[in-house]
Each structure stands twice: as C-alpha cells, then as structure tokens.
Amino acid sequence: MGMEGTRRRADYRRYRQLVESRPELFRRPAGGIDILLDEADIRAAMRTVARRNRARGLPPAASSVGVLAEDSYILALRDAVRFPDGSLGTHNRVVYANDARGVGVLPLFEGRIVLLRVFRHAIGRFLLEIPRGSVEAGDGLEETVLREIAEETGGHVATLAHLGQSFCDTSLSNAGLDYFLAELSGVGEPQLSEGIFGIVQVTPGRFAEMLVEGGVEDAHAVNAFCMARLRGLV
C-alpha cells in the first residue's frame, strides 16, 4: 500500500448512515465488548488508539472509526469499543453481504475424496481445498452445494448429507459455513475461471495421513472431514 493508502481515513459519514439504516450490525449483548456510538466516546477511543499507534510508527488514519471498504461482497468496519475492564479501543471486522452464509462440501467419488488445487490470492500460494461458496440471494443451502460442485468440479451430486456448521474466523469476520458430504456420480475438469488448477482424489485414509503431514491446510477441509469421520461416514 502506498503512502496515500496509509493516510486515508475510514469513512465516518457512511458509518453513521449504517448505524441508522442497519442498527442490527451494532447491537451487542450485555457483558461483552460494547460498540460505542456516542460521538464523545468514539473520539475518546480514537485518541487512545492514536497514542498507541504513534508509538508503533502508524499514521493517525489507522485509528479512525468508520467504513474501511464496501463492495458487493464485504463490508469492512472499524468500530470504537469499550472492553469489559472499561478500557477503550478499536476493533476491525468484516461483515459479509449475504449474511455470512456459505457452504463447504466434502465430495466423494467412488470412495475417494475429491480435492481442488486452488490458488488463493490472500496468501499468495496454492492449497488443496474442498469446494465451497457463498449462498446467493434466493438460493438455499442444498442449491448452493449443487451449483458449487458443478462449477468447481464439473461433477454431479448423487446423494447429500448435512454434517454441521462452523464459523470461519471469529477474530475478524462473521463468516460461517454449513458443511455437507456429497456422493458424486462423476467428476469433470478443473475450472480455471474459478482459480482451480487441478483436481486431486485421495482415499480417506490417505487424507488423514496428509493432515498429519501438513499436506492439507484448508481449515474447511479439515472441519468437514472430521465431522464426517466422527459420524462414521468416511
């Protein structure tokens, strides 16, 4: 990020608009970490964080409260907060536009787990992953599974079982996935347009070995496999 980016303040005007139009984003249960909406409290929290940031060589904009980014996928916010001990600070969070709904699918074809070799921009390298995707407006979970399997593996789902659900990264976002086990009737070609460069099929036993060896680092693949294993499905 260039110098201009480091000095850009969060959009506070848009933030106040969201407080009015989407108040549910700012409600918190009693006894947790409170989001501060009073102007004086927000300024006090920003001053506290700005002092800490200066000691770390960070620019004043790094303490600004408001909207950090907003597009059709995510809303990134920096909130002023009060911690349970009474101290003030700021917290960044990402809110997904689809209410954080998504699916992750552990696909089986002829007794083998189907994994995707995917290049992930955020970490700058390839991972072996299970198919996953966001629930689009008007779609249900099972419809999303069928679409993601078709788009990412070129395959078709014969049977489907719900395994459970999990949050993805509670330190930063509200994203969560429902996990499914899908028996496939076929597997197609990798979808380069989806950033998928290959399809790898392994037995459940080999998958378990890869977990121990560090060959599978996708948390969703680990979650789905463990859920299916505990149910005696793989």
Side-chain angles (χ1 to χ4, degrees), residues 123-197:
I123 62 172
R125 63 185 180 90
F126 289 94
L127 286 183
L128 288 177
E129 300 184 356
I130 60 172
R132 68 177 189 260
S134 299
V135 178
E136 296 180 356
D139 285 351
L141 295 176
E142 294 190 3
E143 291 172 289
T144 304
V145 170
L146 300 180
R147 184 187 71 245
E148 293 300 326
I149 289 295
E151 289 178 353
E152 298 190 355
T153 73
H156 302 280
V157 176
T159 63
L160 195 61
H162 185 256
L163 297 173
Q165 57 188 174
S166 173
F167 286 105
C168 302
D169 183 0
T170 55
S171 67
L172 182 63
S173 81
N174 67 337
L177 291 187
D178 277 80
Y179 295 105
F180 290 83
L181 178 71
E183 293 274 359
L184 306 187
S185 59
V187 176
E189 297 297 321
Q191 306 298 299
L192 291 176
S193 62
E194 298 284 328
I196 299 167
F197 289 78

Side-chain angles (χ1 to χ4, degrees), residues 11 17 45 56 59 67 73 95 99 115 168 172 175 179 199 231:
D11 187 342
Q17 290 174 347
R56 297 172 178 172
V67 174
Y73 298 101
V95 179
D99 294 325
L115 298 171
C168 302
L172 182 63
Y179 295 105
I199 294 177
R231 287 167 173 76

Side-chain angles (χ1 to χ4, degrees), residues 190-219:
Q191 306 298 299
L192 291 176
S193 62
E194 298 284 328
I196 299 167
F197 289 78
I199 294 177
V200 178
Q201 299 184 42
V202 298
T203 65
R206 177 56 189 148
F207 185 95
E209 292 174 348
M210 292 168 68
L211 287 182
V212 175
E213 296 165 357
V216 177
E217 300 172 278
D218 173 34

Side-chain angles (χ1 to χ4, degrees), residues 19-201:
V19 170
E20 297 299 323
S21 63
R22 300 186 62 187
E24 73 281 359
L25 293 179
F26 303 91
R27 296 192 189 107
R28 289 295 182 269
I33 297 175
D34 297 326
I35 296 177
L36 304 176
L37 298 179
D38 178 79
E39 299 278 355
D41 289 340
I42 290 173
R43 287 194 296 271
M46 290 172 57
R47 287 194 297 269
T48 297
V49 176
R51 286 194 295 270
R52 188 162 61 239
N53 285 347
R54 278 197 299 273
R56 297 172 178 172
L58 295 172
S63 64
S64 62
V65 168
V67 174
L68 301 172
E70 184 176 15
D71 60 23
S72 58
Y73 298 101
I74 66 165
L75 172 66
L77 304 172
R78 181 180 293 128
D79 301 297
V81 298
R82 178 180 288 109
F83 296 99
D85 65 356
S87 62
L88 303 181
T90 59
H91 256 334
N92 298 340
R93 58 180 167 129
V94 174
V95 179
Y96 280 80
N98 67 341
D99 294 325
R101 298 187 69 204
V103 300
V105 190
L106 186 69
L108 290 177
F109 179 60
E110 297 181 345
R112 300 170 76 87
I113 295 173
V114 179
L115 298 171
L116 310 176
R117 185 170 179 263
V118 182
F119 185 85
R120 286 298 179 187
H121 174 69
I123 62 172
R125 63 185 180 90
F126 289 94
L127 286 183
L128 288 177
E129 300 184 356
I130 60 172
R132 68 177 189 260
S134 299
V135 178
E136 296 180 356
D139 285 351
L141 295 176
E142 294 190 3
E143 291 172 289
T144 304
V145 170
L146 300 180
R147 184 187 71 245
E148 293 300 326
I149 289 295
E151 289 178 353
E152 298 190 355
T153 73
H156 302 280
V157 176
T159 63
L160 195 61
H162 185 256
L163 297 173
Q165 57 188 174
S166 173
F167 286 105
C168 302
D169 183 0
T170 55
S171 67
L172 182 63
S173 81
N174 67 337
L177 291 187
D178 277 80
Y179 295 105
F180 290 83
L181 178 71
E183 293 274 359
L184 306 187
S185 59
V187 176
E189 297 297 321
Q191 306 298 299
L192 291 176
S193 62
E194 298 284 328
I196 299 167
F197 289 78
I199 294 177
V200 178
Q201 299 184 42

